[in-house]
Amino acid sequence: MITAPVPRARPNGWYGMLALVATESALFASLLATYAYLRFHDPHWPPPGIDPPSITAPLVLALVLVAASAPMALAARTARQRTAGPLIAPVALALVVQAAYLAFQIHLYADDLGRFSASGSAYGSIYFTLLAVHHAHVGIGVLLDCWLIARLRGGLTGYRRTAVGAIALYWYFVSLAGLAVTATILTPAW
Amino acid sequence: MAVESPAPAAAERIGRLDRIWAERPGLSGWITTTDHKRIALLYLATSLAFFAAGGTEALVMRTQLAQPNEHVVGPATYDQLMTMHGVTMIFFFVIPLSIGAFGNYLVPLMIGSRDMAFPRMNALSFWLYLGSGLLVYSSLALGMAPDAGWFNYVPLASRRFSPGLGIDFYALGLILNGVSSTAAAANFLVTIAKLRAPGMSLNRMPLFCYAILATSFSLIFALPPLTADLVFLELDRKLGFKFFDVAHGGDPVLWQHLFWIFGHPEVYIIVLPAFGIATSIIPTFTRRTMVAFPLVAVAELLVAFIGFGVWVHHMFATGLPQMTMVFFAAASLIIVIPSGIQIFAWCMTMVTGRPEFKTPLLFIVGFIVFFVFGGLSGITLAAVPFDQQVTDTYYVVAHFHYVIWGAAVFPLLGGLYYWFPKVTGRMYHERLGQATFWLVFAGTNLTFFPMHIAGMLGMPRRVWTYPSGLDWSAENLVSTIGAFLLTAGLLGMLANLVMSAYTGAPAGPNPFGGATLEWATTSPPPPYNFAVIPRVTSAYASWDDDDRADDRRRLESGELVLETGHETTASTPVDGHLDDVLHMPSESPWPFVLGIAATLGTAFVLTDHYLIAAATAALAAAVLVLWHAGEPAAA
Amino acid sequence: MLAAGCGSNQSITSPVTDPAREIDTLWWAMFAAGMVIFAVVLGLLVLAFVRRRRDDERPETERRAYAVILGGGMVAPVVLLAVLFAFVIRVMPAVSAPKPGSTDLTVEVIGHQWYWEVRYPGTDAVTANEIHLPAHTPVRIVARTADVIHSFWVPRLNRKIDMIPGRSNSIELDVPRTGIYRGQCSEFCGLGHAQMAFEVIVQPPGAFRSWLDHEEQPAATPASGTAAAGQQEFAAASCGDCHAIRGTSAAGHIGPDLTHIGSRNTLAALTIPNTPGDLMQWISNPQGWKPGSRMPGFASLPLSARRALVAYLESLR
Ligand code: HEA
Ligand code: HEA
Ligand code: CUA
Ligand SMILES: [Cu+2]
């Protein structure tokens, strides 16, 4: 029998998440490219009767979401380097921020829906689709956080270490994508 | 290479592995299996069934087109057949066969692993694929199949011009199919990166695995634009969004861009595994290593990469700016270089080797002939003004059947012969094999060559009938005859394989003297693939007799046998140093259940039952939690 | 072998105009070069077949093989493709879209499911499925669509241009020879796609002028007899909801303009010849000839009414 050395490479689960992140970034790239395409196709953007989006709230929110990656990164480091340190607490902290972000975003979304509709113009279509896809990603991340915390409460295993790293990677991606989405939808306001 | 009877210690270890890796017997074993080889066989059976369906659709079309003004089927039926034929062949036949069946069976074996990186996700990929196929085919059974062609241009595919559910079957079915392919591609990437046998650094990886690697990269980046496009279409159709509606700021050409940003990489996704098969078969039957191995590996990756920058060549008649067209024409021409390098590398390997033209190699020779011919017609299409003449004529149909049928399917057929002994443990009938090759080869030329002429004579594609007096009749009649000849050849091949599976001579582990690791294990391989994880020192591992003798010695001593659990090894991604021992997940019902849930959920969206669909999604989430409830032992 | 088809009136290899001829030349050049390349590869395969002698994998053999691979797969393609690229760049202007106002005559062609509406801007002339053009005259064709994507294509005259909602594409037709050239829709547009053809009728300029003058006129009102009864029937059967006949109350825009239907060669986008018998069958059962056609059948009208309709339409010359 041989005994396994301490692995040098990242675990499979992390690589799997990397592949998912790669394909998801292509999805966001497609959506953002669609936004740009429609925008340059249409001289009225946003179309008459629709105000350009307000800048402050989305921008602040996006930065808050990015900031929530910090505790995730901390947890990922602890898990990967197998050092002693809190794991549940940083994940829970991130979860609170991310969930709050999502709630606020949904509130803004509902507000926008009250002002103009997704079926009224191509602008509305891509605007609401882009945001909805982003929110769905945040929502799934929140569910992953919950699952992770539930798991970690039962103790730390190799499998759960991998999960922390993978979910952290997911969040880095979602927050960066969130930043790109926000920057894009705010372009008409500049 | 005679099979030696294992010494007592070895036999004991093998017995232990047999017990650890045994799966449930019978039907429930097939449903819960996570064995990549059994999953590959599921893919094989399913994709061949779809092949038969797509082929039958083609035969009905060919019968209708045999003569001018025929009335075998009307346009409503024809358009459905034509669309289903394209969709079936691309999404439900050739990709699942090449990636799902060949990739799944061979990649773990070739890299000396015991399974894929994510065995359960592998099973899920298959069930999603089956679900998407059944979903799309249920539309044909209901008489409301999609009928706007496989690239489904809007506004013809919009709700206004296609009010039925057909297009929704297409769009939602392909979204589901895309999820399946994405999961499969991610699985291959991680498997190839991490699970290679100790010593298999990247430069020792078989070229087939390079091909699958390139394909998986392409899938990962090419599918999202299609998914986005399909989602936009469904939002337009179901909720009245305006992505493609000119009157409200949308643009139908957006559909075309997104479709072809996917669609062109897709055609290389189709052909790359075939390249990989060619580079597996040629060294075996020429008894020498591939000439210019590193060039070929780089060329395979380059084809996949450049393939992302040429999509506009499908849109030369839409009236895009001249500069755009010139750019994309140039990019399309550049693709010739990696293709040409491979063509000449294959040829020179044969010239400098001692080729033995057995059935598999014959199919590869056919492949080279068709790929060069179809590739050259592709070059003519990249010449903008000429394309603007012949686009949407049978000339294009001829081009892509030469490259798809000739260049992608021929190696797959050759591969079926080549690995048949490995999978079944029996030899196919060689003489009959060669006869079917010649039938299929002649049939293919007879079917698709005249289409070039019909196209040059101005025959548009996707016509359900045509008038006499335009000199198209002879070409079409010959095509139809060819299609039936082709079918005869395929049926002969099917008969050969089915009969040989029962009556063929025993094959032994390596009947052809193959070079890659799958030939180092028994035929068929045991569930754990290798009794001992092989160590690798070259790209032609099965020709390294010392290493293989060393494997047998290590089986005696128990080194890297991993006989205490459901385990395999992991290596570092680039150098292939032994890095870890992984406990692999084993059989599970959850992928199957999740596959059903996802298919049902999609069907509910299709029929506008959004609440039930949401409930199904919640159910699916619950299944996922259950799926991950049991953890593999600590690593 | 390809030349054998030169008789077909839709053949790319029997060009009539300069642009079509340039594309044809491009084709034959590519064809010749392609056959040479194909022969080279076939030669290698034959060599592999007859040689069947295994070289040791010695450095010299490997180097020679590399030379062939790089020569055939890289050097030769780079040279050949550079030539091809230059050729393409040279031909592209010849088939590019003409600038608005660059020609004296502009013709608008509008694709419908499944027929072609033809307009002569600056005049009242509207017709369908027949495009009359003067010979020796540059004409700008502007192509648009009323519904889905179609594609305008007359292989012997020029390349094709797609007709896409929200856009218009244009092409120049300058035909030196009088004659009738067949064109066909070449973007899949639904059930009638196969039966969406048209004719370009190139006339001497004088003949064209008089044709256009006549085409501008409103329809003649039949004095009496069956044709006059037909006009009544036309109104009664609400044909005018879909068809326009200039000079009458019929002003529909779903089907082709019928003002001078009697003078057209064919019916329903070249699906059937324009004879009284065929017209009768068409009105009775359009689906029988052109499945999917947007025109409903009028077999329920009494035979006499249909006869009258035919007489009336035939009189609209
Ligand atoms: C297996 C799939 C496959 C492959 C490999 C290819 C390969 C190529 N294809 Fe093809 N193509 C399709 C599948 C494929 N295609 C399909 C399915 C469609 C139609 C979709 C639809 O409309 O439904 C299509 C359509 C299509 C079009 C659009 C036609 C139209 O609709 O108007 C164009 C235009 O440029 C094109 C070009 C090319 C080119 C340049 C290559 C090149 O990669 C070929 C390169 C290879 C060679 C050239 C041969 C080997 C090289 C040498 C021997 C070296 C020497 C050669 C020279 C110096 C020239 N293809
Ligand atoms: C992988 C791709 C693939 C394959 C293999 C084929 C195979 C064939 N295709 Fe293809 N075809 C397409 C992809 C493919 N096609 C696409 C993408 C389109 C465009 C659709 C569109 O315009 O939207 C198209 C369109 C197309 C048209 C044009 C339709 C039109 O424009 O109106 C025609 C016309 O003849 C045609 C004919 C055929 C024929 C005769 C075969 C034959 O080769 C089929 C022969 C096969 C069989 C008869 C099956 C028999 C199999 C078994 C019995 C099981 C066998 C088991 C073993 C061998 C082990 N096809
Ligand atoms: Cu109009 Cu095809
Ligand atoms: Cu392409």
Side-chain angles (χ1 to χ4, degrees):
Chain A
M1 257 326 281
I2 57 132
T3 43
V6 175
R8 274 168 289 175
R10 301 243 188 203
N12 288 359
W14 186 86
Y15 273 98
M17 185 57 82
L18 188 64
L20 179 74
V21 163
T23 191
E24 292 278 40
S25 47
L27 181 67
F28 276 93
S30 308
L31 293 169
L32 296 176
T34 299
Y35 187 98
Y37 181 92
L38 290 172
R39 167 162 200 189
F40 291 116
H41 183 71
D42 192 339
H44 309 289
W45 194 267
I50 301 178
D51 299 330
S54 63
I55 296 190
T56 346
L59 209 56
V60 171
L61 276 176
L63 294 176
V64 167
L65 186 64
V66 173
S69 288
M72 287 307 294
L74 196 72
R77 223 175 90 111
T78 310
R80 178 159 158 73
Q81 301 188 339
R82 307 190 175 207
T83 49
L87 271 179
I88 298 187
V91 177
L93 174 63
L95 168 63
V96 170
V97 179
Q98 288 152 348
Y101 168 87
L102 184 60
F104 209 119
Q105 277 284 4
I106 290 177
H107 170 73
L108 288 180
Y109 195 79
D111 207 48
D112 283 337
L113 274 177
R115 293 189 300 120
F116 62 103
S117 101
S119 53
S121 66
Y123 172 77
S125 302
I126 185 63
Y127 181 89
F128 286 109
T129 306
L130 197 49
L131 282 175
V133 172
H134 170 53
H135 297 165
H137 280 80
V138 177
I140 289 172
V142 165
L143 290 178
L144 285 175
D145 285 349
C146 297
W147 176 82
L148 185 62
I149 292 174
R151 267 306 163 87
L152 289 175
R153 283 163 57 95
L156 190 58
T157 62
Y159 178 79
R160 294 170 198 176
R161 271 204 190 89
T162 306
V164 177
I167 292 175
L169 177 59
Y170 177 81
W171 274 114
Y172 308 152
F173 162 71
V174 170
S175 9
L176 285 183
L179 211 53
V181 167
T182 311
T184 304
I185 59 164
L186 290 186
T187 47
W190 283 333
Chain B
M1 210 182 280
V3 203
E4 296 151 32
S5 62
E12 207 172 293
R13 292 184 213 287
I14 288 181
R16 229 173 281 157
L17 283 173
D18 281 335
R19 276 194 301 285
I20 292 173
W21 287 82
E23 290 196 325
R24 224 177 287 223
L27 184 65
S28 67
W30 286 99
I31 287 176
T32 58
T33 185
T34 49
D35 179 343
H36 69 98
K37 298 179 292 301
R38 297 180 87 188
I39 293 173
L41 292 179
L42 289 171
Y43 265 113
L44 179 72
T46 313
S47 58
L48 287 184
F50 280 120
F51 183 35
T56 309
E57 285 147 14
L59 291 181
V60 179
M61 291 196 295
R62 280 307 341 152
T63 312
Q64 160 67 21
L65 293 175
Q67 290 172 47
N69 305 315
E70 274 272 10
H71 274 282
V72 177
V73 293
T77 309
Y78 184 92
D79 293 350
Q80 295 183 27
L81 291 173
M82 173 265 287
T83 306
M84 288 299 280
H85 167 71
V87 170
T88 305
M89 288 300 195
I90 303 263
F91 294 98
F92 301 125
F93 161 57
V94 77
I95 294 186
L97 178 62
S98 59
I99 319 234
F102 280 92
N104 240 319
Y105 202 95
L106 295 169
V107 166
L109 282 167
M110 283 194 180
I111 63 174
S113 163
R114 283 184 175 160
D115 209 331
M116 297 282 287
F118 307 111
R120 290 182 180 174
M121 192 166 87
N122 198 18
L124 176 65
S125 293
F126 170 73
W127 296 116
L128 287 178
Y129 153 56
L130 181 62
S132 68
L134 293 179
L135 186 71
V136 172
Y137 262 81
S138 65
S139 71
L140 194 64
L142 296 170
M144 44 166 98
D147 56 1
W150 86 282
F151 47 76
N152 198 57
Y153 279 0
V154 288
L156 181 61
S158 66
R159 191 165 58 183
R160 172 155 167 235
F161 294 105
S162 297
L165 281 180
I167 306 296
D168 303 306
F169 274 105
Y170 165 95
L172 294 167
L174 291 192
I175 292 176
L176 198 59
N177 187 264
V179 175
S180 153
S181 300
T182 307
N187 215 338
F188 280 117
L189 289 179
V190 181
T191 306
I192 292 174
K194 290 288 306 278
L195 297 194
R196 302 199 307 278
M200 188 180 281
S201 48
L202 276 185
N203 57 337
R204 293 176 186 159
M205 187 166 82
L207 285 167
F208 179 80
C209 301
Y210 271 96
I212 296 290
L213 182 69
T215 309
S216 303
F217 266 117
S218 294
L219 278 170
I220 286 277
F221 292 109
L223 284 168
L226 175 68
T227 307
D229 218 9
L230 295 167
V231 168
F232 295 163
L233 179 65
E234 279 307 286
L235 289 172
D236 270 18
R237 285 179 60 88
K238 292 217 174 270
L239 303 178
F241 281 36
K242 298 292 187 293
F243 284 104
F244 305 125
D245 185 342
V246 220
H248 295 86
D251 185 8
V253 179
L254 172 63
W255 166 273
Q256 302 189 13
H257 279 296
L258 285 170
F259 186 91
W260 291 116
I261 290 176
F262 150 80
H264 190 89
E266 170 81 353
V267 307
Y268 294 117
I269 288 167
I270 290 172
V271 85
L272 274 167
F275 289 178
I277 292 175
T279 38
S280 305
I281 291 179
I282 290 178
T284 301
F285 290 97
T286 56
R287 313 249 145 270
R288 61 151 299 159
T289 58
M290 265 306 287
V291 177
F293 181 104
L295 268 185
V296 175
V298 172
E300 278 179 359
L301 296 174
L302 265 184
V303 168
F305 181 74
I306 306 175
F308 278 88
V310 305
W311 79 88
V312 163
H313 69 209
H314 296 271
M315 302 165 61
F316 281 156
T318 52
L320 294 168
Q322 299 261 343
M323 274 320 292
T324 312
M325 293 196 281
V326 167
F327 173 84
F328 282 93
S332 308
L333 297 181
I334 288 175
I335 277 219
V336 171
I337 292 170
S339 308
I341 285 180
Q342 293 182 76
I343 288 277
F344 285 102
W346 293 317
C347 288
M348 287 315 287
T349 307
M350 287 201 268
V351 170
T352 58
R354 195 182 57 230
E356 216 188 322
F357 288 95
K358 292 225 171 122
T359 314
L361 189 61
L362 281 179
F363 273 97
I364 299 305
V365 171
F367 148 74
I368 293 177
V369 172
F370 288 128
F371 181 50
V372 172
F373 200 87
L376 289 169
S377 68
I379 294 302
T380 64
L381 289 172
V384 181
F386 182 68
D387 178 78
Q388 290 167 333
Q389 269 290 32
V390 293
T391 183
D392 271 304
T393 67
Y394 262 86
Y395 186 89
V396 174
V397 178
H399 158 64
F400 71 72
H401 281 94
Y402 262 77
V403 275
I404 288 198
W405 173 260
V409 179
F410 257 59
L412 291 170
L413 299 179
L416 281 180
Y417 276 116
Y418 179 56
W419 282 290
F420 179 83
K422 177 52 56 188
V423 176
T424 61
R426 292 180 184 275
M427 296 303 292
Y428 61 85
H429 193 291
E430 179 62 41
R431 289 258 292 287
L432 188 55
Q434 301 201 4
T436 54
F437 164 77
W438 287 110
L439 260 182
V440 178
F441 183 80
T444 304
N445 281 307
L446 220 51
T447 312
F448 300 117
F449 183 76
M451 291 184 185
H452 293 98
I453 304 177
M456 292 299 290
L457 293 178
M459 178 167 171
R461 64 193 281 199
R462 297 172 162 185
V463 293
W464 69 278
T465 185
Y466 55 93
S468 53
L470 290 167
D471 281 351
W472 301 341
S473 312
E475 289 79 6
N476 277 287
L477 186 61
V478 174
S479 273
T480 303
I481 294 171
F484 282 95
L485 197 65
L486 177 56
T487 309
L490 286 173
L491 290 177
M493 172 168 173
L494 188 65
N496 185 351
L497 296 185
V498 170
M499 302 242 298
S500 304
Y502 295 100
T503 61
N510 194 357
F512 303 123
T516 34
L517 272 176
E518 76 274 24
W519 302 108
T521 186
T522 54
S523 307
Y528 42 89
N529 292 352
F530 302 95
V532 53
I533 302 290
R535 278 185 187 276
V536 175
T537 56
S538 84
Y540 302 87
S542 282
W543 289 349
D544 298 330
D545 294 334
D546 296 347
D547 288 353
R548 302 289 72 82
D550 186 54
D551 286 350
R552 285 190 288 278
R553 191 189 53 70
R554 285 190 292 117
L555 180 58
E556 300 294 335
S557 66
E559 188 190 335
L560 277 186
V561 177
L562 310 181
E563 61 201 296
T564 54
H566 204 256
E567 291 171 338
T568 192
T569 59
S571 302
T572 54
V574 177
D575 303 326
H577 294 310
L578 180 62
D579 197 32
D580 203 354
V581 172
L582 302 178
H583 186 95
M584 300 304 285
S586 50
E587 51 186 349
S588 155
W590 297 120
F592 177 68
V593 176
L594 190 57
I596 293 183
T599 309
L600 283 181
T602 311
F604 287 129
V605 172
L606 194 139
T607 48
D608 296 331
H609 294 91
Y610 298 113
L611 277 180
I612 309 183
T616 319
L619 194 78
V623 170
L624 270 173
V625 170
L626 286 173
W627 169 329
H628 293 90
E631 288 182 14
Chain C
M1 192 171 207
L2 290 171
C6 281
S8 164
N9 197 8
Q10 215 162 295
S11 167
I12 294 162
T13 50
S14 30
V16 173
T17 63
D18 286 342
R21 207 169 290 123
E22 295 217 20
I23 296 177
D24 187 50
T25 314
L26 174 62
W27 153 248
W28 287 113
M30 291 192 297
F31 177 72
M35 283 305 107
V36 173
I37 297 169
F38 190 53
V40 168
V41 178
L42 282 189
L44 281 179
L45 289 176
V46 171
L47 187 62
F49 188 78
V50 296
R51 198 158 172 270
R52 300 222 192 174
R53 171 161 56 81
R54 181 178 162 191
D55 296 317
D56 304 325
E57 295 173 27
R58 274 175 307 153
E60 306 95 82
T61 7
E62 299 300 281
R63 251 201 311 278
R64 226 177 310 132
Y66 257 94
V68 176
I69 293 169
L70 289 175
M74 199 133 108
V75 180
V78 166
V79 174
L80 288 171
L81 295 176
V83 175
L84 174 60
F85 192 63
F87 205 151
V88 166
I89 304 259
R90 211 183 57 83
V91 178
M92 276 177 74
V95 298
S96 65
K99 289 197 181 52
S102 61
T103 58
D104 292 337
L105 181 64
T106 296
V107 179
E108 260 179 42
V109 183
I110 300 157
H112 291 257
Q113 278 182 327
W114 291 278
Y115 70 95
W116 311 81
E117 176 185 346
V118 184
R119 296 176 164 269
Y120 292 79
T123 77
D124 290 335
V126 183
T127 178
N129 306 325
E130 285 180 4
I131 304 174
H132 287 251
L133 296 181
H136 298 294
T137 317
V139 181
R140 183 165 160 264
I141 304 280
V142 178
R144 291 189 283 114
T145 176
D147 37 53
V148 303
I149 302 179
H150 307 270
S151 190
F152 176 92
W153 189 38
V154 198
R156 299 183 66 193
L157 304 187
N158 208 331
R159 54 112 155 180
K160 61 175 69 73
I161 43 177
D162 286 354
M163 311 164 109
I164 301 175
R167 298 170 185 238
S168 69
N169 277 320
S170 60
I171 191 117
E172 187 176 293
L173 297 186
D174 181 354
V175 192
R177 259 196 276 149
T178 59
I180 297 183
Y181 305 101
R182 194 173 194 272
Q184 188 164 357
C185 177
S186 40
E187 182 65 76
F188 182 61
C189 53
L191 292 176
H193 167 64
Q195 291 166 307
M196 184 168 166
F198 62 99
E199 284 174 349
V200 175
I201 301 172
V202 181
Q203 299 166 297
F208 169 75
R209 271 291 139 214
S210 43
W211 173 83
L212 190 59
D213 288 343
H214 176 73
E215 196 65 24
E216 276 200 273
Q217 307 301 316
T221 310
S224 62
T226 0
Q231 184 168 17
Q232 307 287 318
E233 290 293 344
F234 197 86
S238 63
C239 310
D241 291 357
C242 296
H243 293 283
I245 296 182
R246 279 169 280 133
T248 74
S249 60
H253 199 72
I254 294 172
D257 183 294
L258 299 179
T259 310
H260 298 287
I261 175 74
S263 63
R264 299 215 272 263
N265 293 335
T266 63
L267 294 175
L270 269 56
T271 305
I272 39 178
N274 186 5
T275 65
D278 288 294
L279 185 52
M280 180 67 163
Q281 301 217 27
W282 173 259
I283 293 171
S284 309
N285 181 18
Q287 315 294 325
W289 300 104
K290 188 164 176 176
S293 171
R294 295 265 188 254
M295 165 147 162
F298 287 88
S300 54
L301 288 183
L303 195 60
S304 58
R306 280 178 280 153
R307 286 219 175 95
L309 276 171
V310 170
Y312 170 56
L313 293 175
E314 289 292 323
S315 78
L316 299 175
R317 297 203 155 259

